[in-house]
Amino acid sequence: MRLLGTELRRFWRRRAVRWLVALCLLLALVINVIQLARSAQGTSYSRGGSSFVPEQCRTGEHDGLPVVDQACFEGSLEGRFEVPIAGMGVALALLGILLGSTFLAAEFGASGFGTQLLFEPRRWRLYAAKVAAVAVGCALVAVLIIAWTGLGQYVASALRGSTAGVDAGWLADRAGDTGRAAGACALAAVCALAVAALARRTVVAVGIFFG
């Protein structure tokens, strides 16, 4: 556990990790702000702005405006966050590849791994600690990014849309989706770490996955 804690601190102190996480958080914020700004037209209750109401939820028309089945419309909003999480799962897996590749390969380049072996001569324990640190660290990064994105979408929905259907059951389902995305990110990072341990170059490890 002590060795794992040391490797986790080493993981979070890497500038590449901090910059990549900060960039992802900033990108998620920008996307949410853009969606919030663009939603002003879609949520304005006008004759030309009712196309966002699903056809199956329209029960008629009054004064040129659709009459909406509220239960049907709220039900159509459920699961909207499933699509962003599914799309983010792919992006987070790619992020895991970058984080896993840079974590170990950079230490070979700076001769840091050889120095660590002086304090922990059992190579397999050091490798195991690094694998666990990358897996745990990347999973936490994925949860942080998804939670940040979800919070932004919730605020946007509360301001310009609807938060109907967001209850304990919905949160439990999204927690499962988040866990799967975090697992994909961690698995991708571990695979990248293994390749980086063989290649001992960040560029080579990244090139194998992205090339």
Side-chain angles (χ1 to χ4, degrees):
M1 292 299 295
R2 180 184 59 83
L3 190 57
L4 175 59
T6 301
E7 293 301 328
L8 276 173
R9 288 191 295 271
R10 192 187 304 275
F11 177 83
W12 290 113
R13 287 173 182 171
R14 289 197 57 80
R15 285 182 294 179
V17 173
R18 295 183 178 182
W19 278 106
L20 285 171
V21 172
L23 180 62
C24 290
L25 294 177
L26 178 61
L27 181 61
L29 177 62
V30 170
I31 292 175
N32 281 329
V33 170
I34 293 175
Q35 289 180 340
L36 177 62
R38 294 181 61 185
S39 66
Q41 297 179 353
T43 55
S44 58
Y45 195 65
S46 63
R47 298 179 187 273
S50 59
S51 59
F52 64 93
V53 179
E55 192 66 32
Q56 67 271 18
C57 297
R58 302 188 185 196
T59 60
E61 189 172 297
H62 176 70
D63 194 23
L65 296 173
V67 178
V68 181
D69 184 341
Q70 187 68 19
C72 174
F73 180 68
E74 291 179 355
S76 69
L77 298 177
E78 296 182 5
R80 289 291 180 88
F81 195 47
E82 293 179 1
V83 177
I85 293 181
M88 290 176 65
V90 178
L92 290 172
L94 298 178
L95 176 63
I97 291 174
L98 292 176
L99 295 177
S101 299
T102 59
F103 180 64
L104 184 58
E107 293 187 358
F108 281 116
S111 300
F113 190 78
T115 304
Q116 294 176 49
L117 288 174
L118 296 176
F119 299 94
E120 178 51 67
R122 288 170 291 188
R123 186 182 295 263
W124 68 269
R125 285 195 61 186
L126 190 57
Y127 272 120
K130 289 183 180 298
V131 169
V134 165
V136 172
C138 288
L140 292 176
V141 167
V143 171
L144 172 63
I145 294 175
I146 292 176
W148 173 256
T149 304
L151 178 62
Q153 290 200 349
Y154 182 84
V155 172
S157 298
L159 294 176
R160 297 277 179 84
S162 173
T163 57
V166 180
D167 52 16
W170 185 91
L171 291 175
D173 291 338
R174 300 296 76 76
D177 295 336
T178 301
R180 286 188 289 271
C185 180
L187 180 60
V190 170
C191 293
L193 181 72
V195 174
L198 298 175
R200 301 195 176 190
R201 292 289 186 278
T202 301
V203 176
V204 175
V206 172
I208 289 175
F209 286 96
F210 291 92

